Amino acid sequence: MQLMTDLGVALETLTASQADLEVLTDGDAPVACAHDWWMRGLIERRQGKERRAGAVLRPASTEQVAAVLAWAQETRTAVVPYGLGSGVCGAVAAERDQVVLDMGKMSSLLDVNDLSLTATVQPGMRGSDYENALNERGYTMGHFPQSIELSTVGGWCATRAAGQLSTLYGNIEDMLLGCEVVLAGGRIIRLPAMPRSSTGPDLRQLFLGSEGTLGVFTELVFRVHARAEATWSRCFAMPSLAAGIAALRLTLRAGWRPAVTRLYDATEAGRNFQVASEGQPVLLLMSEGPRGRIDAESLAVGQIVAAQGGVDKGSEPVETWLENRNHVPSFEDLLDSGLVVDTIEIAIGWERVEPLWDRVVLEGSAVPGMLAMSGHVSHSYTQGANIYFTFVAQQSALDEALYLYDAVWELTMKATHEMGGTIAHHHGIGRVRKKWLSRELDTAHCLLSSIKNTLDPLGIMNPGALIDSP
Amino acid sequence: MQLMTDLGVALETLTASQADLEVLTDGDAPVACAHDWWMRGLIERRQGKERRAGAVLRPASTEQVAAVLAWAQETRTAVVPYGLGSGVCGAVAAERDQVVLDMGKMSSLLDVNDLSLTATVQPGMRGSDYENALNERGYTMGHFPQSIELSTVGGWCATRAAGQLSTLYGNIEDMLLGCEVVLAGGRIIRLPAMPRSSTGPDLRQLFLGSEGTLGVFTELVFRVHARAEATWSRCFAMPSLAAGIAALRLTLRAGWRPAVTRLYDATEAGRNFQVASEGQPVLLLMSEGPRGRIDAESLAVGQIVAAQGGVDKGSEPVETWLENRNHVPSFEDLLDSGLVVDTIEIAIGWERVEPLWDRVVLEGSAVPGMLAMSGHVSHSYTQGANIYFTFVAQQSALDEALYLYDAVWELTMKATHEMGGTIAHHHGIGRVRKKWLSRELDTAHCLLSSIKNTLDPLGIMNPGALIDSP
């Protein structure tokens, strides 16, 4: 697809009709908003491949978003929707002939309904600002991604995010009840928020996980919850990974729903919970809800874990985790130290959690330069769990670092796919998993292509991410 | 769109290449499978408008379904997918130049995974057969539509069904983890069953609720649950509808999830639970799950209901309901008695449940011939509830019966839409709600049209149901 080469001329037609639209072509913004936190992109930038968007557009209303997308279609300008850029898979990677659509000015909480327990919010609102605003009214969203202070509510929807308390509250697709979306070309559609409908296919699902390739969220209606009456938390040292996996599986199977279900292998347990671990895997659980349920849940789950050989280590390690859970070392600092670090999250059925975990750690550990390949479960389901792999490798030469990075991703994706897991639990596809998406969807990939082609026939919505235009 | 007029010639080409495919053109099947249980269609048939399909095709494999859909595209023959015909909205209404695709031969339970708690089943399996087969293995699907003995698991997916225990187990979209679908033209796609993914839009959702207009399910992977350890049930007489609504709302808000939450207005309570009701609305609750949770839930929910003035009437009325819950009088018998009867289910946010209920009962009661317009809640959410309206009217003249039928539907749809509710909670759109679907989806209706046009460009998949081809 050929994009208009003279973006400047095109922008003049836009600003002529949209005098109030903030357009940034100079300064930091075109560089700062041209990428997300994908480790591979960071290495490439250090190699001198600096990214720069042609312009950053900062709409203040749905109508401005619609005007931009209509203009983009007319001028065949590619548009890269942008929240706060905290993605880690390369879904944001703007070029000089493209514009970034920065949703940061549409960041208001519009309404909270105290009877129907819904909140209406603009997509550019920072996650922690949104949660704090709900807390002030006695509510919670129940959605706590590690990025909550660095990401927007719209970004959560665009990537199909999951939060740390998902085992109780569900994932973003369980929370989004209605939305307003601007389609490529500028058409505004509203999907009403209802308790539940059987009015044909659930069209919200087209946009959840679409990573900016099918449309742009301009308003969101989320489920909210009254803040929990009681909480309980506990850390257990587990005799083996298998015992920890069984404890989680049996907890879910019995019908209990602790909000937090985290199982660290011995490597990560030693790194994060050394005193409790003593060389063993560690299980962290946290329940919240009405007091009667929490009393019953803590008792029953404690027995399930004990039956698997879990040793009670008190709640202090959970408190430590809660305090530090959103602290992530800067990838920039790590690269400065010659370290290549990344996380890769996948999900798989219970019977294959341990075999996949073992295989990836074994194969990852064999990669030259690897210091530590490890994993933890952070989200559990009755069907299975995610595994959140983390790797730390030593490699100060940038081209070698890229090679190493690709090798670890490749072996993890390959093992997951071959063993029947899903290649992405909650970080999305972006650019890093695109090749593997076509393998996972296989015969169904054509369906995603058809939808892309129908909704964005010119292929100008975030080209390069998620799926290539047919 | 012009359909091939000589279906017989077209069928010869099909049977020439698919010698094993069962094709019924004579006997009862072309009439019996040409319609569902839509009351309006029943009245029309009594007026002499007998429906008859050109043929009933009974595929025994995915490959046969694919062959039929490829043939249908080549010959431009319209295809009406068929489960057991228990729908009540007119989604099945076949014509003489169309074929019915009866999925009844694809009715096997293929696999149950005891660790990942999934079951793989063919779409033509009768719901009660499926549930019984799971029960024998110690599991339940948790999905109990009133039609469970008259409907198929594939039909549940096609209509976005809900079951009587949905407040705990969720609705069909919470249960379908993966599927195989044959698209118009015969392409077979498989969507893998995963615990949870962020691999682009959730494509299963395109087919859930598509009512046979976008593709045909040929295999389904459902979540299953270990059978509950404990149950609790209780009936309460409520001082008012408002008190009953508040009790449900506050129960959900507090984080409790009784499996069954049914609130009958005084009319229906008097009809079904006369002794307990004494002229008041009646609330039925049933909880199931691990014993500790059920003990806590029964205590806490009992207190919430008591605080709203609920009077404990024991569990016997719930037992009565459980025994009779799937018994529905035959529409044929009712028509024979000169009665026009139907149910209309909608859903709406908590703050408007009572106003909508009042309005529909008031307006419905004013329709000439109306004997009783009443309602009950059968599904509750933190955001709101459904209302399941029932009307019984006297009208032996068939043309007058149609007029009356349309009038009650019209006023119910209009009131629901105007007050911000959704026009269908779990019976789907079919033909009876099609006009109102475009009003509810409004700006988003074009999106459904685009998808229909993309996946079924000839408009041969169940034409007339859900959505008209562009």
Side-chain angles (χ1 to χ4, degrees):
Chain A
M1 185 201 53
Q2 261 209 317
L3 287 170
M4 188 147 184
T5 48
D6 196 345
L7 181 61
V9 174
L11 281 172
E12 280 174 22
T13 69
L14 177 64
T15 50
S17 67
Q18 297 291 319
D20 294 340
L21 177 67
E22 187 177 348
V23 178
L24 305 171
T25 52
D26 301 316
D28 294 339
V31 172
C33 299
H35 58 80
D36 60 8
W37 281 104
W38 186 22
M39 181 51 135
R40 197 179 203 290
L42 191 59
I43 298 172
E44 286 181 341
R45 288 202 298 285
R46 292 201 167 202
Q47 288 179 316
K49 295 179 193 149
E50 186 59 82
R51 282 194 184 279
R52 184 183 181 89
V56 176
L57 312 183
R58 307 193 75 232
S61 67
T62 298
E63 290 65 34
Q64 284 192 345
V65 173
V68 168
L69 295 195
W71 162 85
Q73 184 133 307
E74 283 161 22
T75 58
R76 302 193 167 224
T77 305
V79 177
V80 182
Y82 185 89
L84 279 165
S86 69
V88 289
C89 296
V92 173
E95 305 286 347
R96 283 167 193 271
D97 57 354
Q98 303 178 338
V99 295
V100 166
L101 191 67
D102 173 5
M103 301 302 289
K105 286 171 105 165
M106 295 178 67
S107 58
S108 297
L109 176 58
L110 302 175
D111 181 57
V112 176
N113 184 318
D114 292 305
L115 288 170
S116 292
L117 296 180
T118 59
T120 305
V121 57
Q122 291 183 308
M125 192 169 193
R126 187 182 297 267
S128 48
D129 291 345
Y130 175 60
E131 178 65 18
N132 290 339
L134 292 180
N135 291 171
E136 284 170 14
R137 291 163 172 81
Y139 301 115
T140 178
M141 179 167 179
H143 187 72
F144 300 93
Q146 192 174 45
S147 66
I148 190 166
E149 294 168 7
L150 311 169
S151 56
T152 63
V153 296
W156 297 345
C157 294
T159 53
R160 275 179 71 86
Q164 291 151 341
L165 275 61
S166 71
T167 304
L168 176 63
Y169 292 106
N171 297 308
I172 198 73
E173 67 273 22
D174 305 306
M175 299 173 179
L176 184 74
L177 297 168
C179 55
E180 182 185 74
V181 175
V182 181
L183 302 180
R187 188 193 281 257
I188 301 166
I189 64 168
R190 291 182 70 89
L191 292 162
M194 298 294 177
R196 196 263 176 178
S197 290
S198 68
T199 50
D202 179 355
L203 299 171
R204 293 168 299 188
Q205 302 284 344
L206 282 176
F207 302 102
L208 283 162
S210 64
E211 303 188 6
T213 64
L214 300 179
V216 178
F217 289 109
T218 46
E219 197 175 295
L220 305 161
V221 183
F222 288 120
R223 193 188 300 275
V224 301
H225 303 268
R227 295 192 78 176
E229 185 185 23
T231 63
W232 168 80
S233 61
R234 199 55 48 101
C235 170
F236 298 90
M238 301 304 298
S240 66
L241 206 50
I245 293 166
L248 284 178
R249 180 176 67 79
L250 294 170
T251 294
L252 274 285
R253 182 185 181 100
W256 300 107
R257 294 291 178 273
V260 173
T261 56
R262 300 177 74 85
L263 174 66
Y264 297 83
D265 64 15
T267 304
E268 296 201 6
R271 189 186 301 154
N272 298 299
F273 310 101
Q274 199 174 354
V275 174
S277 162
E278 296 177 344
Q280 293 184 316
V282 153
L283 178 64
L284 300 191
L285 298 174
M286 192 178 90
S287 293
E288 61 177 55
R291 182 164 307 282
R293 197 186 78 212
I294 298 316
D295 289 348
E297 185 160 281
S298 56
L299 185 67
V301 173
Q303 289 169 350
I304 291 170
V305 176
Q308 297 300 322
V311 177
D312 189 332
K313 295 291 183 177
S315 61
E316 189 273 336
V318 185
E319 300 302 323
T320 303
W321 170 75
L322 280 169
E323 281 162 28
N324 298 302
R325 60 181 163 153
N326 296 335
H327 172 74
V328 185
S330 144
F331 279 4
E332 294 275 15
D333 291 347
L334 292 165
L335 277 179
D336 286 344
S337 316
L339 295 177
V340 181
V341 176
D342 206 4
T343 59
I344 309 176
E345 24 64 61
I346 58 80
I348 195 161
W350 282 120
E351 75 274 25
R352 287 162 299 188
V353 171
E354 195 189 10
L356 176 60
W357 199 325
D358 287 347
R359 174 172 162 182
V360 170
V361 168
L362 188 73
E363 292 183 9
S365 299
V367 172
M370 184 62 68
L371 300 178
M373 181 91 203
S374 60
H376 65 268
V377 165
S378 52
H379 305 263
S380 300
Y381 306 87
T382 44
Q383 278 60 55
N386 81 321
I387 311 174
Y388 206 110
F389 292 109
T390 298
F391 67 88
V392 183
Q394 182 89 44
Q395 184 49 263
S396 48
L398 291 173
D399 51 347
E400 293 294 321
L402 274 189
Y403 182 84
L404 186 155
Y405 179 90
D406 291 344
V408 182
W409 267 90
E410 181 81 5
L411 72 88
T412 306
M413 293 290 93
K414 185 166 187 286
T416 302
H417 181 62
E418 285 180 359
M419 295 182 73
T422 177
I423 56 162
H425 177 266
H426 64 270
H427 284 169
I429 301 299
R431 283 167 170 76
V432 71
R433 287 177 165 115
K434 212 163 57 171
K435 175 180 83 177
W436 290 96
L437 179 65
S438 62
R439 299 192 191 170
E440 177 162 328
L441 291 183
D442 193 24
T443 53
H445 196 257
C446 65
L447 196 55
L448 188 56
S449 289
S450 296
I451 291 165
K452 170 70 175 172
N453 197 39
T454 300
L455 295 185
D456 178 24
L458 298 179
I460 56 175
M461 297 301 298
N462 204 12
L466 185 62
I467 184 168
D468 289 321
S469 288
Chain B
M1 184 201 53
Q2 261 208 316
L3 287 170
M4 189 147 184
T5 49
D6 196 345
L7 181 60
V9 174
L11 282 171
E12 280 173 22
T13 68
L14 177 63
T15 50
S17 68
Q18 298 290 318
D20 295 339
L21 177 67
E22 187 177 349
V23 178
L24 304 170
T25 52
D26 301 316
D28 295 340
V31 173
C33 299
H35 58 81
D36 60 8
W37 282 104
W38 187 22
M39 182 50 135
R40 197 180 202 290
L42 191 59
I43 298 172
E44 286 181 341
R45 288 202 298 286
R46 293 201 166 202
Q47 289 180 316
K49 294 178 194 148
E50 186 58 82
R51 281 193 184 279
R52 184 184 181 88
V56 176
L57 313 182
R58 308 193 74 232
S61 66
T62 298
E63 290 65 33
Q64 284 192 346
V65 173
V68 168
L69 294 194
W71 162 84
Q73 183 133 308
E74 283 161 22
T75 59
R76 302 192 168 225
T77 305
V79 177
V80 181
Y82 185 89
L84 279 165
S86 69
V88 289
C89 295
V92 173
E95 305 286 348
R96 283 166 194 272
D97 57 354
Q98 303 178 338
V99 295
V100 166
L101 191 67
D102 173 4
M103 301 302 290
K105 286 171 105 165
M106 295 177 67
S107 58
S108 297
L109 176 58
L110 301 176
D111 181 57
V112 176
N113 184 318
D114 292 305
L115 288 170
S116 292
L117 295 180
T118 59
T120 305
V121 56
Q122 291 183 307
M125 192 168 194
R126 188 181 297 267
S128 47
D129 292 345
Y130 175 61
E131 178 64 18
N132 290 338
L134 292 180
N135 291 171
E136 284 169 14
R137 290 163 172 82
Y139 301 115
T140 178
M141 179 167 178
H143 187 71
F144 300 93
Q146 191 174 46
S147 67
I148 190 166
E149 294 168 7
L150 311 169
S151 56
T152 63
V153 297
W156 297 346
C157 294
T159 54
R160 275 179 72 86
Q164 292 151 341
L165 275 62
S166 70
T167 305
L168 176 63
Y169 292 106
N171 297 308
I172 198 73
E173 67 273 21
D174 305 306
M175 300 173 178
L176 184 74
L177 297 168
C179 55
E180 182 185 73
V181 175
V182 181
L183 301 180
R187 188 194 280 258
I188 302 166
I189 64 167
R190 290 183 70 89
L191 292 162
M194 298 294 177
R196 197 263 176 178
S197 290
S198 69
T199 50
D202 179 356
L203 299 171
R204 293 168 299 187
Q205 303 283 345
L206 282 177
F207 302 102
L208 283 163
S210 64
E211 303 188 7
T213 64
L214 300 179
V216 177
F217 289 109
T218 46
E219 197 176 294
L220 305 161
V221 183
F222 288 120
R223 192 187 300 276
V224 300
H225 303 269
R227 295 192 79 176
E229 185 185 23
T231 63
W232 168 81
S233 61
R234 199 55 48 103
C235 170
F236 298 91
M238 302 304 298
S240 66
L241 206 49
I245 293 166
L248 285 178
R249 180 175 67 79
L250 294 170
T251 294
L252 274 285
R253 183 185 181 101
W256 301 107
R257 293 292 177 272
V260 174
T261 56
R262 300 177 75 85
L263 174 67
Y264 298 83
D265 64 15
T267 304
E268 296 202 5
R271 188 187 300 153
N272 298 300
F273 310 101
Q274 199 174 354
V275 174
S277 163
E278 297 177 342
Q280 293 184 315
V282 153
L283 177 64
L284 300 191
L285 297 174
M286 192 179 91
S287 293
E288 61 177 55
R291 183 165 306 282
R293 196 187 78 212
I294 299 316
D295 289 347
E297 185 160 281
S298 56
L299 185 67
V301 173
Q303 289 169 350
I304 291 170
V305 177
Q308 297 299 321
V311 177
D312 189 332
K313 295 291 182 176
S315 61
E316 189 274 336
V318 185
E319 300 302 323
T320 303
W321 171 75
L322 280 169
E323 281 162 27
N324 299 302
R325 60 180 162 153
N326 296 335
H327 172 74
V328 185
S330 143
F331 279 3
E332 294 275 14
D333 292 347
L334 292 165
L335 277 178
D336 286 345
S337 317
L339 295 176
V340 181
V341 176
D342 205 4
T343 59
I344 309 176
E345 23 64 61
I346 58 80
I348 195 161
W350 282 120
E351 74 275 24
R352 287 162 299 187
V353 171
E354 196 190 10
L356 176 60
W357 199 326
D358 287 347
R359 174 172 162 182
V360 170
V361 168
L362 188 73
E363 292 183 9
S365 300
V367 172
M370 184 62 68
L371 300 178
M373 182 91 204
S374 60
H376 65 268
V377 165
S378 52
H379 305 262
S380 300
Y381 305 86
T382 44
Q383 278 60 54
N386 81 320
I387 311 175
Y388 205 110
F389 292 109
T390 297
F391 66 88
V392 183
Q394 182 89 44
Q395 184 48 262
S396 48
L398 291 173
D399 52 347
E400 293 294 321
L402 274 188
Y403 182 83
L404 186 155
Y405 179 90
D406 291 344
V408 182
W409 267 90
E410 181 80 6
L411 72 87
T412 306
M413 293 290 93
K414 185 166 187 286
T416 302
H417 181 63
E418 285 180 0
M419 295 182 73
T422 176
I423 56 163
H425 177 266
H426 64 271
H427 284 168
I429 301 299
R431 282 166 171 77
V432 71
R433 287 177 164 115
K434 212 163 57 171
K435 174 180 83 177
W436 290 95
L437 179 65
S438 62
R439 299 192 192 171
E440 177 162 329
L441 291 183
D442 193 24
T443 53
H445 196 257
C446 65
L447 196 54
L448 188 56
S449 289
S450 297
I451 291 165
K452 170 70 175 171
N453 197 39
T454 300
L455 295 185
D456 178 25
L458 299 179
I460 56 175
M461 296 301 298
N462 204 13
L466 184 62
I467 184 168
D468 290 320
S469 288

